[in-house]
Amino acid sequence: MRKLICLLFTLLISSLLYSQELPNISISENFNNTSLSKVIRILKNKYDVKIAYDDALVTGITINGSYNNKSITAFLDEILPSKGIDYQVLNGKIILTPGQVDIDLKTPSLFDLTVFGIVLDAQTGEMLPNALIRVAGENKGTISNKDGIFSLSQVPTDTSTLEVTYLGYKKSTVKLDPNKSKKTIRISMAENTVDLSEFTVVDLRTDNTIQYGEEISQISIDPNSLTSLPSLGELDIFRSLQLLPGISGTDETSSALSIRNSPSSQNLVLLDGFTIYRLDHFFGVFSAINPDAVRDIQVYKGGFGPKYGGRISGVVDITGKSGNFNKPEYSFGINLLSARMSVNAPLNEGKGAIHFSTRRAYTDIIRSSLFKKLYKNYREGSNQLNDQASGNSLRPNFHFYDFNLKSTYNISSRDIASFSMYWGRDELDTDFDQITNSGNTFMTENTEENAQWGNLGVGAIWSRNWNKNYYSSFQLAYSGHNFDYLFHSEDRDENGQITRDYSANRLNEVADLQINYKNELKLKERHNIDFGLNLSSITAINDVTIDGQVQLPMEDRKQSGSILAFYASDEFRVTKKLRLNVGFRHNTTGLTNKNYFGRRLGMSYQLTPSLKLKLSNGQYYQLARQVLYDDPRSNLQDGWNLACNTLFGALSSEHLIGGFNYSKNGFMIDMEYYRKDVSGLVELTVSHVVNPGMPNDTQPLVAESAGEDKIRGVDVLIQKKIGPYHGWLSYTHSKSSSVYSQINGGQRLPSRLDQRNEAKFVHVLEFKKFNVSATFLYGSGKPFFKPELNFIRNNSGTVVNYEILNLNKTVERLPTYHRLDISAALKFENEEVRGEFGISIFNVYNHRNIQSRRLNINAIERAIDNGEEPTQLYRDIVLLDFTPSIFLNLFF
């Protein structure tokens, strides 16, 4: 009896609470194909109804109809049951839950079958590349290809359950249906980033921001999760990658990617299959790629498979956004330097989609304090200008712009066609006047600098799914790059007579037309075979002129030729735990009239469900390359050249990588040891010696040195996600040394990118209405190479001239690098728009980080002109100090 009374009392209290929990409101709305997520936003913002739900539950559902003076319960009872959704009320909040459905497990009728399907974004209908598809409870899995298509063999039964994960998306679970086992499975996934719930009921997110792929040294990055990181006003793709282990990040003014102590030019950067030859805007301040155009990023720090060729260090494979197949979407962003916008829209009733994005710097119109600081940093980083006192007249006219266009169309259930285009350009036009005095003598220096550079990429792809086991794609692509640079500086005395005149010109152009034919074949359930052809017709132009004297080319200024490559690889599942990947890439070219055969060997062993061991070895060759141009006076940039028979041949490298990955419950640790031996390096070293016929003048002498690198290191990544927190610690310990035939008599020296220790700490807290983040970077000092200076004196001992003997170098170490960056953003939304407004601060505690040291040319020459002994021989190139920036991003 007592239990019955307690039960009746509980029911009475519950009914009283229920009657008080929901507001007494009347809902009057008209909905025409309105998404359920937008309906919920209207209820929250207009009627002050508190609702909690899981995005995956409401994604893709639309509401139609007119509703007049409906109570909240009557309204929900009318729209939800037909959508398979139920609701409960708890503490004044409505909680949406899946409706009760009868599940018929059924008896399996097929065993060891192959499942074929496609992975899509539930909101946009866009195909998701590199999604991971596994059989629940089994060590069986595969990844979707560029079109989101997958074929998973050896699935135990046609009632098995598939688990699908994709970075930035909630885990999707699909139970196979025997009645549909032979049909293509369409798996829709909901983004984690779209979280409009009042509080989290169930968090289905099991992935981290960084995920290691199936291949060795392969890292998958979620672009959306990087938006919270500190920046100079907008998400920067390449600078965010610098927070990974093995990718140098101790240079906040550079968007280049130094992967495992190799220069950026030794990395292959692809956007939708065409090559990006230059990675930056604004001399390294911004990345060349607009983040709004990026769907997926795959990074290979070494040991990459034979489908990638032409580079010897690493690969960054970027897949652009295809657009929205369901409804139009728009975005707009602005910061202190630039503005950008994007459009995603369906074509022909959802059979296709189009993406367009563009951005432009307005620094030629509004020269903000941030722009002046960044430009001053760039100028002082060159060796053509140092002091910029407050009285000087600095007139930089600079801006950049780029745009991305991509269109995708589903021609049939088997055929997909896409067209992608990228164009980016920077333009700089600068005048600089500087007046100095020594005693009663006045000197005027005038400097002019003009530069135009950019990238152009165009690609068209036709892909076809022939059956569950065979997929192929055909691509025609063009990549172009140009860099045209002019620098002129002259000194005049108070009478207007020229006392010093210096000029430097640099022209570099690349045109690369490619045909790619790629195939994916599954054979006998255990073999995944990739094979294909690549034909490249490439042309490069190089000119370097200093003071009217041609320094390059040493032979023809224009090089051209073709490269034909064939590749094949077999991923062989030896046992349930052991996988082998064996392959090769064969190149033949008329550039050098040689053949290049590079092997690929990889192995992974799943020791436990959480622990995987990995090992890789490979040979790589590079025919389109940059030659290091080391001139202490001009600081001219390196340019793209082609290998040839007479001047220099192909670059080559050998990789050996071994390590392990442990991942469980949101915690991950990955460790890799690597060794990389690089040969075929060439450095053009410029010395400036006294002209025998004119003792008061010097002439440049260029020496060509052949070289090699030996690189050894260990990368460590520790990552953890706890509720709203995710972050990681990355650490690299490495040693890199070089030998060049004519430098220091062939002595082995630290390489220019040698940095023994680098650590990066990343912390992000994401909440419904705001997020905060902090990154801390530490790096031991990089080497600094001091050329030998020989001062020429007259009979009285006064210095009248000097020589720079650049083949004799003294190696010193720069000071330790470290900085703290922070960022905070406020999120907001209503029925029509969502957005964020935030601030980022680089170098919070204003540490003086030195990028390098340079000869102080101006100080040396002015001291000599004044009959003084030069004392200020070098100057520090200092990176950014305390630098705040603000940004605003809107999404419609």
Side-chain angles (χ1 to χ4, degrees), residues 341-358:
M341 60 84 67
S342 70
V343 177
N344 296 278
L347 296 174
N348 194 14
E349 299 180 345
K351 291 185 178 180
I354 189 170
H355 166 85
F356 174 78
S357 58
T358 184

Side-chain angles (χ1 to χ4, degrees), residues 570-588:
D570 180 12
E571 182 185 323
F572 174 41
R573 183 187 291 272
V574 182
T575 67
K576 289 185 177 181
K577 294 185 176 183
L578 177 62
R579 287 188 182 188
L580 293 180
N581 201 319
V582 181
F584 69 90
R585 187 178 183 95
H586 180 78
N587 298 281
T588 181

Side-chain angles (χ1 to χ4, degrees), residues 247-267:
I247 303 179
S248 179
T250 53
D251 183 356
E252 68 267 26
T253 62
S254 174
S255 59
L257 294 177
S258 170
I259 298 180
R260 289 179 171 169
N261 302 88
S262 292
S264 181
S265 62
Q266 295 178 12
N267 303 319

Side-chain angles (χ1 to χ4, degrees), residues 500-501 547 549 633 688-700 792 800-803 861:
R500 184 180 67 89
D501 185 81
D547 285 338
Q549 299 183 40
R633 289 185 60 95
H688 293 266
V689 299
V690 171
N691 189 336
M694 302 176 64
N696 292 328
D697 193 15
T698 59
Q699 62 180 4
I792 311 298
V800 295
N801 204 349
Y802 72 107
E803 294 181 317
E861 293 185 350

Side-chain angles (χ1 to χ4, degrees), residues 759-826:
K760 289 159 277 195
F761 300 82
V762 179
H763 305 280
V764 180
L765 279 171
E766 291 190 83
F767 298 99
K768 177 180 180 290
K769 294 187 176 180
F770 68 94
N771 61 55
V772 294
S773 64
T775 59
F776 178 79
L777 293 86
Y778 166 88
S780 55
K782 293 181 180 179
F784 159 56
F785 298 91
K786 295 175 60 175
E788 180 182 342
L789 297 181
N790 179 33
F791 291 104
I792 311 298
R793 302 176 184 271
N794 59 18
N795 293 333
S796 61
T798 303
V799 176
V800 295
N801 204 349
Y802 72 107
E803 294 181 317
I804 305 174
L805 307 179
N806 203 21
L807 293 176
N808 302 322
K809 301 177 184 290
T810 302
V811 182
E812 297 179 354
R813 288 279 175 177
L814 297 173
T816 296
Y817 177 105
H818 54 88
R819 84 171 194 264
L820 172 68
D821 306 330
I822 61 173
S823 178
L826 178 66

